[in-house]
Amino acid sequence: MSYKIITDSCCDFPGGMYAELDLTMIPLSVEFRGQVYDDKNDDSLKEMYDGLRAGEAAKTSAVNPDRWAKAMEAVLAQGQDVLVLAFSSGLSTTYQSAVIAADELREKYPDRKIYVVDTLAASMGQGLLVWYACKKRDEGMSLEELHAWVEDTKLHLCHWFTVDDLMHLKRGGRVSATTALVGTMLQIKPVLHVDNEGHLINKAKARGRKASIEALARKVEELGANYDNSTMFISHGDCREDAEYLAQLLKEKYGVKEVLISYVGAVIGSHSGPGTVALFFLGEHR
């Protein structure tokens, strides 16, 4: 192809998937137990999630403009154009850094095209949008067509998730201390989504873990009936059995053919915490 798709690690794809999709991936970074490392998504995450359960904290860092610029220039120097699909600007400065890098490189490579998209998406929601983009690329869609398609589609990328531990959301400033305490005592589980500005928003409550997972599945019927959702993505914060229960519901009730399950990666997981279950699909609106 005459262009390359570049994204960042907040897609939360399993490691080998970036090569399978012919993607360039730029990692964010995380600091945990005094060590700084690139964002990751594999079974070694269990150690971090165990630490988070025990009250330990992790710090994260966005991709800076220089790191974006190096990745983009490697493509531009080969005579290809660039489409960057970046982590939500509502949750990170990663997108803004990509814009800075692209502006500088347009002066150096005036004959090349560089598009930078704020996906307003996170985790496997960003991943699902990137996955669809790769399919469209492989079907022969031009860079300009694909850029327009992504911009038209991103606000139809539904993100719905729940968490098992309200106290972790309290530490992250997402709910008040009172809400966390009362909710924990009453086994209230929040049902949240990512809105049109790319922020996490609390939308509903469910009594008990099973009910909150079933509430996620019902969102498919509510929002996704008029879309081809034969493939859906699920990410989880070290609670694979809950993710598999949700996948089973999707296949049995809504005829979903393929469900890709992956960890919530180190960067996003350090904020969302253990016990997160997130569902991603296409719908009428977010």
Side-chain angles (χ1 to χ4, degrees):
M1 296 296 293
S2 61
Y3 63 92
K4 184 82 171 180
I5 299 175
I6 304 177
T7 190
D8 57 70
S9 61
C10 287
C11 285
D12 283 348
F13 284 149
M17 196 165 170
Y18 296 101
E20 291 173 13
L21 294 174
D22 190 23
L23 287 166
T24 295
M25 183 274 284
I26 313 303
L28 283 76
S29 60
V30 61
E31 180 181 349
F32 181 65
R33 292 178 177 170
Q35 291 187 322
V36 178
Y37 53 86
D38 284 344
D39 195 8
K40 59 183 178 178
N41 195 310
D42 55 41
D43 288 341
S44 68
L45 280 171
K46 183 167 181 57
E47 181 181 356
M48 186 192 81
Y49 278 113
D50 285 344
L52 294 174
R53 288 188 180 97
E56 296 182 66
K59 297 179 181 179
T60 60
S61 298
V63 180
N64 61 39
D66 182 61
R67 200 162 189 179
W68 275 124
K70 288 179 179 177
M72 292 182 206
E73 187 161 22
V75 176
L76 298 169
Q78 296 295 318
Q80 289 183 297
D81 298 323
V82 170
L83 174 63
V84 175
L85 303 177
F87 182 32
S88 172
S89 63
L91 298 169
S92 170
T93 59
T94 293
Y95 163 73
Q96 287 87 346
S97 293
V99 170
I100 292 169
D103 286 344
E104 293 176 353
L105 288 168
R106 287 188 186 100
E107 296 181 9
K108 188 173 180 180
Y109 295 90
D111 295 331
R112 298 266 59 85
K113 297 171 185 174
I114 308 171
Y115 293 106
V116 181
V117 176
D118 179 0
T119 66
L120 298 169
S123 192
M124 291 285 274
Q126 179 182 342
L128 186 57
L129 188 64
V130 171
W131 179 78
Y132 273 117
C134 290
K135 286 186 65 177
K136 298 292 183 183
R137 174 203 62 198
D138 294 345
E139 290 168 1
M141 189 173 278
S142 71
L143 173 61
E144 291 79 5
E145 290 170 331
L146 183 55
H147 174 239
W149 182 90
V150 171
E151 291 286 6
D152 289 342
T153 303
K154 67 184 185 183
L155 294 184
H156 295 280
L157 207 298
C158 302
H159 301 55
W160 287 89
F161 66 102
T162 188
V163 298
D164 197 34
D165 182 4
L166 280 166
M167 292 301 179
H168 199 90
L169 283 182
K170 178 187 77 70
R171 287 192 290 271
R174 298 296 175 186
V175 300
S176 69
T178 301
T179 298
L181 180 60
V182 174
T184 299
M185 292 174 62
L186 298 178
Q187 280 294 294
I188 298 297
K189 306 298 181 184
V191 177
L192 308 97
H193 86 141
V194 176
D195 70 6
N196 286 355
E197 285 72 49
H199 300 114
L200 307 185
I201 305 295
N202 192 356
K203 294 292 288 185
K205 299 174 183 176
R207 181 66 65 87
R209 177 68 162 176
K210 185 177 180 181
S212 69
I213 294 173
E214 291 169 352
L216 300 181
R218 287 195 296 273
K219 288 297 178 183
V220 175
E221 183 176 13
E222 178 185 335
L223 298 170
N226 296 324
Y227 286 78
D228 177 6
N229 279 303
S230 54
T231 298
M232 295 187 191
F233 286 3
I234 296 172
S235 57
H236 68 93
D238 196 34
C239 51
R240 174 117 193 159
E241 289 184 3
D242 290 336
E244 289 176 346
Y245 173 62
L246 176 56
Q248 179 184 347
L249 289 176
L250 297 172
K251 291 177 180 178
E252 291 177 352
K253 291 193 173 186
Y254 304 108
V256 179
K257 295 178 181 178
E258 181 181 8
V259 180
L260 177 62
I261 299 175
S262 179
Y263 266 106
V264 178
V267 166
I268 295 178
S270 68
H271 297 286
S272 60
T276 301
V277 177
L279 172 63
F280 309 99
F281 59 95
L282 293 173
E284 295 292 339
H285 56 81
R286 286 197 168 189

